[in-house]
């Protein structure tokens, strides 16, 4: 098994008034290429903070994140931004789609940021939107899409640059049970058929039971 990411001694604390709140307390684990890894725990356990650090959206107070054995936090902010855009895809509970742009344009954006030609970005965005079941909805703006369709657009956007890793934070947290089941099936299909590596923060028991492996956080520690 190939280790894609190694989390080594990661700690994260925040200053709250005169005190320091330690959210993550020395975490050590690896993420294997091609796996579906779940991160679970009560609210405040540090799940989203950990996800943000793995995705280089935030820096740890101590410790290292090794990506293909390279410590990503030796990079400067510009290099980290390029790393995030090219190597990591993000899917959030709230879709964060730009309301003034169509599904196609929303999905194209990460590719355009990497200086991909507009025609090539459009072709790839259409291909992925078709793959996630939105072939007939590519020219609709988010306001004309259902919650499940918006989340499919969000998944397509996360995949446009063919990332090594997709991080999902409660991807079905605000969807009904039937739509959640559809999104779960989409994620599993992408993992099985395309080999995408997923790390998913969730409270959904059904989703947890399907995971290849689950990490449970309690008070910032793995139990």
């Amino acid at each position: 098994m190939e280790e894609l990411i190694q989390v080594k001694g990661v700690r994260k604390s925040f200053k709250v008034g005169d005190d320091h709140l330690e959210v993550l307390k020395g975490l050590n684990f690896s993420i294997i290429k091609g796996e579906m890894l779940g991160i679970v725990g009560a609210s405040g356990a540090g799940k989203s903070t950990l996800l943000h650090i793995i995705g280089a959206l935030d820096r740890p107070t101590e410790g290292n994140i090794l990506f293909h054995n390279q410590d990503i936090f030796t990079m400067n902010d510009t290099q980290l931004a390029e790393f995030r855009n090219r190597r990591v895809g993000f899917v959030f509970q709230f879709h964060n789609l730009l309301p003034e742009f169509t599904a196609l344009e929303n999905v194209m954006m990460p590719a355009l940021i990497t200086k991909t030609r507009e025609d090539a970005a459009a072709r790839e965005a259409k291909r992925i939107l078709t793959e996630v079941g939105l072939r007939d909805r590519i020219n609709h703006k988010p306001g004309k899409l259902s919650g499940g369709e918006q989340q499919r657009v969000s998944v397509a956007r996360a995949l446009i640059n063919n990332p090594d890793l997709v991080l999902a934070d409660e991807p079905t947290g605000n969807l009904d049970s039937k739509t959640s089941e559809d999104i779960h099936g989409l994620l599993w299909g992408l993992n099985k058929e395309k080999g995408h590596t997923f790390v998913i923060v969730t409270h959904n028991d059904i989703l947890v039971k399907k995971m290849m492996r689950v990490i449970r956080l309690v008070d910032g520690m793995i139990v």
Side-chain angles (χ1 to χ4, degrees):
M1 295 185 294
E2 179 182 347
E3 289 184 341
L4 179 64
I5 290 177
Q6 298 171 58
V7 176
K8 293 195 168 186
V10 166
R11 295 179 178 272
K12 181 66 178 181
S13 59
F14 298 94
K15 190 171 183 181
V16 181
D18 294 329
D19 298 321
H20 281 83
L21 175 64
E22 192 171 21
V23 178
L24 300 177
K25 302 174 182 177
L27 304 187
N28 294 280
F29 64 93
S30 296
I31 300 168
I32 306 301
K33 184 177 180 180
E35 79 171 328
M36 292 283 282
L37 174 65
I39 299 178
V40 301
S43 296
K47 305 182 301 297
S48 294
T49 300
L50 175 58
L51 208 68
H52 290 172
I53 290 173
I54 293 172
L57 291 170
D58 196 6
R59 292 176 179 268
T61 305
E62 295 179 23
N64 310 93
I65 302 291
L66 304 185
F67 190 93
H68 287 307
N69 293 316
Q70 178 186 4
D71 186 347
I72 63 174
F73 292 112
T74 61
M75 302 178 188
N76 61 36
D77 288 344
T78 300
Q79 291 169 327
L80 274 178
E82 182 176 356
F83 166 81
R84 283 193 300 269
N85 196 50
R86 290 183 178 274
R87 311 300 293 274
V88 185
F90 296 93
V91 181
F92 298 102
Q93 178 176 352
F94 300 101
H95 325 292
N96 295 337
L97 301 178
L98 297 174
E100 66 271 30
F101 294 105
T102 65
L104 179 67
E105 291 165 337
N106 269 282
V107 174
M108 287 172 61
M109 293 223 175
L112 296 176
I113 290 170
T114 65
K115 303 296 191 293
T116 300
R117 282 177 41 177
E118 187 172 345
D119 58 343
R123 281 196 304 272
E124 182 64 4
K126 287 177 183 177
R127 184 190 69 78
I128 297 174
L129 283 165
T130 298
E131 192 173 272
V132 301
L134 293 176
R135 181 179 61 184
D136 298 328
R137 310 290 279 170
I138 63 174
N139 293 317
H140 288 66
K141 293 182 178 179
K144 298 295 184 181
L145 300 173
S146 69
E149 288 171 336
Q150 289 182 50
Q151 195 62 298
R152 286 174 181 267
V153 174
S154 180
V155 171
R157 182 183 57 189
L159 298 175
I160 185 69
N161 287 332
N162 193 30
D164 299 86
L165 176 68
V166 179
L167 302 176
D169 195 351
E170 295 286 0
T172 60
N174 63 333
L175 301 175
D176 62 72
S177 57
K178 176 61 173 67
T179 306
S180 295
E181 187 177 330
D182 291 343
I183 295 297
H184 296 167
L186 171 64
L187 299 180
W188 253 261
L190 290 167
N191 170 259
K192 186 175 181 179
E193 296 166 18
K194 303 294 182 179
H196 291 296
T197 305
F198 285 89
V199 177
I200 302 177
V201 166
T202 185
H203 285 104
N204 188 298
D205 290 336
I206 296 173
L207 190 56
V208 168
K209 289 175 182 177
K210 294 181 178 179
M211 293 289 180
M212 297 177 182
R213 186 163 60 105
V214 175
I215 288 174
R216 186 173 300 276
L217 292 184
V218 175
D219 294 332
M221 296 181 290
I222 295 172
V223 297

